[in-house]
Amino acid sequence: MVFIQDFNSFVTRTNTCGELRSAHVGQEVTLYGWIQYQRQGLFLVLRDFQGLTQVVIPQDEAHSHVKQLLCNAPVESVVRVTGIVSPRPPGQENLKMPTGDIEVKAETAEILNPCKKLPFEIKDFIKKSEALRMQYRYLDLRSFQLQYNLRLRSRMVMRMREYLCNLHGFVDVETPTLFKRTPGGAKEFLVPSREAGKFYSLPQSPQQFKQLLMVGGLDRYFQVARCYRDEGSRPDRQPEFTQIDIEMSFVDQAGIQRLIEGLLEYSWPEERGCITTPFPSMTYEEALADYGTDKPDTRFGMKIMDISDFLRQSDVQFVQNALSYPRGTVKAICIPQGARYLKNKDLESLKASAKSQFNQEIMEIICRPDGSLKSMLTKFLGEKQQSELIQVLNMQVDDVALLAAGEHKRVCSALGSLRLESADILEAAGLVLRDPATFHFLWVVDFPLFLPKEENPTELESAHHPFTAPHPSDTSLLYSDPTKVRSQHYDLVLNGSEVGGGSIRIHSAEQQRFVLEKVLKEDSEVLSHLLEALEFGAPPHGGIALGLDRLISLIVDALSIRDVIAFPKSFRGRDLMGNAPDYVTPEELEPYHIQVSWPLAKKEAKQN
């Protein structure tokens, strides 16, 4: 069923500012909007959510009051204009405006609300600091780009609801926001209660609730879920965020993947072209080996190459040292035309980055115009070996290879990071490697179930979360060597960003208790409600969550997810418009049995 949107129902305007065309010539219309600009008392441009319309200011004496009103109204004032739609004079049409063939000759007008001096101009091309934009977010929302982003987001969510609920029988269920702490994962926001010493937690996701809904027999659950994490903001992260949360009973990994591919294909904006399904898939080990990351950007090449076998017979000491260790390797990436676009300072910066972030030494190899190699490595290699190395690395004239030797994961991670940094440098020089209008989806599968803790590598933590089921082929290893267990976890990656993650869940109470108590050394009592529920005939189930903010920001090519959220938090997690978080009085804290221990400087400020 196709619906035609009626933007003029229930309101007193006759048309929006973006819909008038030559077919409306001769009609009397009433428009409401903001004054975009006014020129020399002759005309103004009126703007609303849908577009712009040129309004001709009357010059005759009979309409002098209308002229005075419109000429004196400040930019961004809200006005009502009634007038006649007329064709623009020949040669004055504006092909860049959808309404550029017509203008409205004003007959009456009313200033509904004047605008005071603006902190910045409401124009997309005007540069303004993000802090100022967020302080006056209600003004920033008037920009065409933010209007477009939020409306596209709304359309996609509505299409997702149609696909899930109307076509595939999912039930939209709201789950609680006030809950209790979940072991592992990100830090959670605490909410005090009136019971002394007891706190709620804001959930990082509805994970436990959606599993409990499967135990309850709902079969297919869906929610546009608000989630919370008490951690530092990044361009693609906020303390409060939205995810498309999904869970199904009697499903396997392939079923979830087919569902999500269909969901995205159905809801994908037409103006962004078509996406191809099914999405390609690679294992976690393949992603790490070829791209140095579990969220590879496959829009461009420069894949990591393993040259361990080629250099194994060489007399290069650092290579032999690296290969003598377990999981020792020698790998490289080749940067096309790197000698043309990478300056010496760029190469030094790349090497310094690998050293500081990964404690990994990097050696560069440059293919000169005469086809010879320039590198510290060449003094250990004969001419034949150098020629073979060029072939192994598939180097062309002016290419630059970056080589790293050491432990497999560290080498891959370092080269994966340098691959992206090199792409940034090449694109800054004018090369196009990562077209933002191209969308490369990818499934990454077969993650490890557990990883060593950074602070204590002898202990394990969940790579995803403690409810993820082990790979069916590795179930026995869970009890003998959990470090070798693969999981039934899957991530959806788009253009190098993770936009979704999910898993098949543990539905056995015995296995879930073993993972919590024996492997993760967690107190299972905090999850006693879930463990008990699993004992009452819990069906096999699995699910996924799509990060809506991140997905939309990639679709519209926004620099930050803050550009697709109506009222986002700042980089430090603050609301600059409402000045939140804010202080509360001791009297307001008293019912919650909380006293604030003020820093000394704050105490002195309050006393003064």
Side-chain angles (χ1 to χ4, degrees):
M1 183 181 296
V2 178
F3 294 96
I4 298 175
Q5 293 177 316
D6 183 1
F7 293 116
N8 302 309
S9 54
F10 316 118
V11 294
T12 53
R13 66 174 175 241
T14 60
N15 301 87
T16 66
C17 293
E19 70 175 291
L20 296 177
R21 300 292 188 272
S22 297
H24 296 91
V25 167
Q27 294 181 16
E28 182 181 81
V29 296
T30 297
L31 307 178
Y32 289 80
W34 287 263
I35 297 176
Q36 177 94 345
Y37 61 86
Q38 184 258 111
R39 179 167 295 175
Q40 299 175 339
L42 298 175
F43 68 88
L44 58 82
V45 172
L46 200 62
R47 184 196 73 243
D48 66 7
F49 70 92
Q50 203 180 38
L52 306 170
T53 295
Q54 180 167 292
V55 175
V56 178
I57 300 172
Q59 303 297 312
D60 59 301
E61 188 62 33
H63 292 91
S64 59
H65 62 291
V66 176
K67 178 179 180 180
Q68 183 179 8
L69 199 73
L70 295 179
C71 288
N72 293 335
V75 169
E76 289 302 312
S77 295
V78 185
V79 301
R80 174 192 59 78
V81 173
T82 297
I84 304 298
V85 181
S86 305
R88 291 200 187 188
Q92 294 185 21
E93 298 88 351
N94 187 342
L95 300 179
K96 295 180 180 179
M97 286 175 64
T99 61
D101 288 336
I102 60 91
E103 57 191 12
V104 173
K105 294 185 175 179
E107 295 189 334
T108 65
E110 179 184 0
I111 308 299
L112 301 174
N113 210 337
C115 180
K116 70 176 187 178
K117 183 176 172 56
L118 292 164
F120 54 80
E121 289 188 71
I122 315 294
K123 292 176 182 175
D124 286 315
F125 60 85
I126 298 291
K127 290 187 176 181
K128 41 213 178 265
S129 72
E130 187 172 63
L132 191 64
R133 289 177 56 203
M134 296 183 69
Q135 183 182 352
Y136 295 96
R137 188 62 169 184
Y138 43 85
L139 294 180
D140 199 31
L141 285 170
R142 295 181 188 176
S143 71
F144 278 120
Q145 189 60 58
L146 281 186
Q147 289 270 329
Y148 173 78
N149 294 352
L150 293 178
R151 292 175 190 280
L152 180 140
R153 177 182 176 131
S154 173
R155 290 201 314 270
M156 279 199 71
V157 170
M158 183 57 69
R159 294 282 288 173
M160 287 178 175
R161 286 186 187 278
E162 288 176 11
Y163 183 83
L164 292 169
C165 298
N166 297 351
L167 298 184
H168 294 286
F170 280 77
V171 184
D172 187 349
V173 180
E174 297 173 12
T175 54
T177 300
L178 296 176
F179 193 45
K180 63 188 294 186
R181 187 185 68 84
T182 303
K187 290 183 179 179
E188 296 171 331
F189 285 101
L190 297 178
V191 180
S193 76
R194 292 176 183 266
E195 294 185 59
K198 291 189 176 182
F199 292 79
Y200 296 104
S201 282
L202 300 182
Q204 324 169 24
S205 78
Q207 181 61 47
Q208 294 181 53
F209 290 112
K210 63 182 181 177
Q211 289 191 241
L212 292 169
L213 287 170
M214 297 304 102
V215 178
L218 251 72
D219 193 69
R220 297 183 170 204
Y221 145 90
F222 148 74
Q223 182 182 188
V224 180
R226 296 293 285 165
C227 306
Y228 307 88
R229 286 179 182 167
D230 187 10
E231 54 187 24
S233 288
R234 299 200 306 253
D236 61 348
R237 186 160 291 183
Q238 284 267 289
E240 52 184 348
F241 56 98
T242 305
Q243 62 188 35
I244 304 297
D245 203 48
I246 292 170
E247 198 80 6
M248 298 174 71
S249 295
F250 312 111
V251 70
D252 59 11
Q253 180 171 306
I256 295 287
Q257 290 174 329
R258 288 197 304 271
L259 168 74
I260 295 304
E261 289 166 357
L263 173 70
L264 288 171
E265 197 170 31
Y266 185 86
S267 61
W268 196 257
E270 288 184 14
E271 63 266 36
R272 286 298 185 261
C274 296
I275 55 174
T276 303
T277 58
F279 301 150
S281 177
M282 71 173 62
T283 67
Y284 167 81
E285 288 295 340
E286 289 170 337
L288 184 64
D290 290 347
Y291 297 95
T293 176
D294 59 5
K295 42 181 183 291
D297 189 339
T298 56
R299 287 176 294 175
F300 69 109
M302 290 170 55
K303 290 167 69 170
I304 299 170
M305 295 170 282
D306 192 330
I307 57 174
S308 302
D309 290 341
F310 173 77
L311 291 176
R312 199 176 298 277
Q313 307 304 321
S314 72
D315 296 326
V316 185
Q317 192 59 46
F318 77 89
V319 168
Q320 297 306 322
N321 289 344
L323 295 177
S324 67
Y325 290 102
R327 299 278 286 171
T329 188
V330 185
K331 293 178 179 282
I333 58 171
C334 183
I335 305 170
Q337 299 298 293
R340 287 188 184 182
Y341 296 102
L342 297 179
K343 301 181 175 65
N344 284 334
K345 67 173 185 177
D346 294 323
L347 287 172
E348 292 305 316
S349 174
L350 291 171
K351 291 194 284 186
S353 174
K355 182 66 176 174
S356 63
Q357 291 186 61
F358 304 97
N359 194 27
Q360 178 64 55
E361 297 288 348
I362 298 293
M363 177 178 291
E364 75 267 27
I365 306 170
I366 301 172
C367 188
R368 294 189 180 104
D370 62 3
S372 64
L373 296 181
K374 176 186 176 184
S375 173
M376 296 281 289
L377 191 65
T378 55
K379 63 183 178 181
F380 303 105
L381 304 175
E383 285 189 21
K384 183 182 177 186
Q385 286 179 304
Q386 291 184 40
S387 177
E388 290 173 347
L389 180 60
I390 290 174
Q391 292 180 21
V392 168
L393 294 174
N394 195 25
M395 294 184 76
Q396 308 293 325
V397 169
D398 286 336
D399 286 356
V400 174
L402 301 179
L403 180 147
E407 191 274 327
H408 172 76
K409 185 172 183 180
R410 191 181 71 215
V411 164
C412 290
S413 298
L415 289 176
S417 178
L418 295 186
R419 174 178 178 266
L420 297 177
E421 290 182 47
S422 301
D424 289 339
I425 295 171
L426 294 178
E427 288 187 329
L431 293 183
V432 178
L433 297 179
R434 299 167 292 190
D435 183 356
T438 300
F439 299 97
H440 282 217
F441 282 98
L442 172 74
W443 289 109
V444 179
V445 300
D446 289 354
F447 283 79
L449 187 58
F450 307 109
L451 294 172
K453 289 183 177 179
E454 282 190 22
E455 64 275 15
N456 186 358
T458 61
E459 296 182 0
L460 296 177
E461 62 184 0
S462 297
H464 184 215
H465 58 52
F467 315 115
T468 300
H471 193 286
S473 304
D474 296 350
T475 303
S476 61
L477 289 171
L478 179 64
Y479 304 96
S480 59
D481 192 353
T483 60
K484 293 182 179 177
V485 179
R486 292 168 298 163
S487 70
Q488 292 190 71
H489 168 56
Y490 31 85
D491 274 353
L492 182 61
V493 176
L494 172 58
N495 293 356
S497 291
E498 179 194 334
V499 293
S503 66
I504 302 302
R505 323 300 186 188
I506 296 172
H507 66 278
S508 158
E510 181 184 358
Q511 190 177 83
Q512 184 67 81
R513 187 173 282 107
F514 178 84
V515 167
L516 289 168
E517 296 178 355
K518 303 301 183 184
V519 180
L520 300 177
K521 313 297 184 187
E522 293 278 3
D523 179 9
S524 63
E525 186 60 31
V526 73
L527 290 169
S528 58
H529 56 284
L530 179 63
L531 290 168
E532 185 176 21
L534 295 179
E535 294 175 330
F536 287 100
H541 57 283
I544 193 169
L546 298 179
L548 182 63
D549 308 312
R550 198 174 304 175
L551 175 64
I552 301 298
S553 70
L554 290 169
I555 291 173
V556 301
D557 192 27
L559 295 176
S560 161
I561 62 171
R562 290 187 280 277
D563 288 331
V564 300
I565 300 172
F567 297 100
K569 299 293 184 288
S570 73
F571 187 76
R572 297 182 180 276
R574 293 188 58 82
D575 179 344
L576 301 181
M577 182 182 65
N579 196 31
D582 204 356
Y583 296 106
V584 296
T585 65
E587 291 76 22
E588 291 171 298
L589 289 174
E590 189 175 348
Y592 303 105
H593 313 281
I594 293 175
Q595 284 186 322
V596 177
S597 178
W598 297 104
L600 182 60
K602 181 64 185 175
K603 278 184 178 177
E604 291 174 352
K606 286 177 73 70
Q607 289 169 357
N608 294 333

